[in-house]
Amino acid sequence: LSHYNYSSTHHLHRSSLIITAMASTDSWTHEIESPVAAARLFRAGVMDWHTLAPKLAPHIVASAHPVEGEGGIGSVRQFNFTSAMPFSLMKERLEFIDADKCECKSTLIEGGGIGTAIETTTSHIKVEPAANGGSVVKVESTYKLLPGVEVNDEITKAKESVTAIFKAAEAYLVANPDAYN
């Protein structure tokens, strides 16, 4: 999203002959612990990431902006990347949101490997309160590779990218305790 490395793939335990013959759907999950409260981290690291990313990660995100909608279901936002990324942009559409439960689901609709390595990909993010007053970010990415696409270390890179996004948002929120309250 925005902050997902949508070119992520999953290590398949199938022969490359089968992978070449037909695409399969796979997924990966990742959890990130944070001392920041769930609602603040969700608002900053997910819902408003298009505003914060260019400020907090200008070496990766050149710019970002809403393309359609006002942030509700069906809204589309675009992230434009620097040469640090293997693709220049990605557009994602919000499929589901429950701001009270700090949960959303989005689909990559353009860029980020769509059409070159990936047929489809969706990301489900839920930021849950933790007992210590902080939170746990739970991410599940489901994707379908194009036929013939080989799997390398994209899952690890995707998890590192998601972690970096939420840690950048966390650092911003810790440094700015009045933000996103």
Side-chain angles (χ1 to χ4, degrees), residues 19-179:
I19 293 171
T20 301
M22 55 195 263
S24 61
T25 301
D26 274 296
S27 65
W28 56 265
T29 59
H30 189 54
E31 290 190 7
I32 305 155
E33 293 183 12
S34 175
V36 175
R40 289 183 71 214
L41 191 57
F42 181 75
R43 285 192 297 270
V46 177
M47 299 314 300
D48 201 38
W49 188 241
H50 61 280
T51 302
L52 287 178
K55 297 173 187 172
L56 302 181
H59 56 291
I60 297 171
V61 181
S63 64
H65 62 277
V67 176
E68 296 174 23
E70 301 295 322
I73 293 173
S75 294
V76 175
R77 60 184 178 176
Q78 177 174 323
F79 291 81
N80 300 302
F81 300 105
T82 66
S83 59
M85 293 293 283
F87 39 83
S88 62
L89 69 88
M90 68 177 216
K91 288 183 183 178
E92 64 179 5
R93 181 179 54 242
L94 190 61
E95 305 292 350
F96 167 82
I97 182 162
D98 186 332
D100 293 334
K101 292 184 180 178
C102 300
E103 183 176 6
C104 71
K105 185 175 181 179
S106 62
T107 299
L108 183 66
I109 59 172
E110 184 180 331
I114 290 289
T116 57
I118 301 169
E119 183 177 321
T120 61
T121 185
T122 60
S123 296
H124 180 211
I125 299 174
K126 186 165 188 177
V127 185
E128 298 179 343
N132 64 3
S135 57
V136 178
V137 179
K138 296 183 177 184
V139 179
E140 180 179 11
S141 182
T142 304
Y143 56 90
K144 183 175 182 181
L145 298 175
L146 290 172
V149 172
E150 293 293 325
V151 179
N152 297 305
D153 59 349
E154 287 85 359
I155 295 296
T156 300
K157 290 178 184 176
K159 289 179 180 181
E160 290 170 355
S161 175
V162 170
T163 299
I165 286 159
F166 281 100
K167 290 301 177 180
E170 172 187 292
Y172 174 81
L173 294 170
V174 168
N176 296 278
D178 294 331

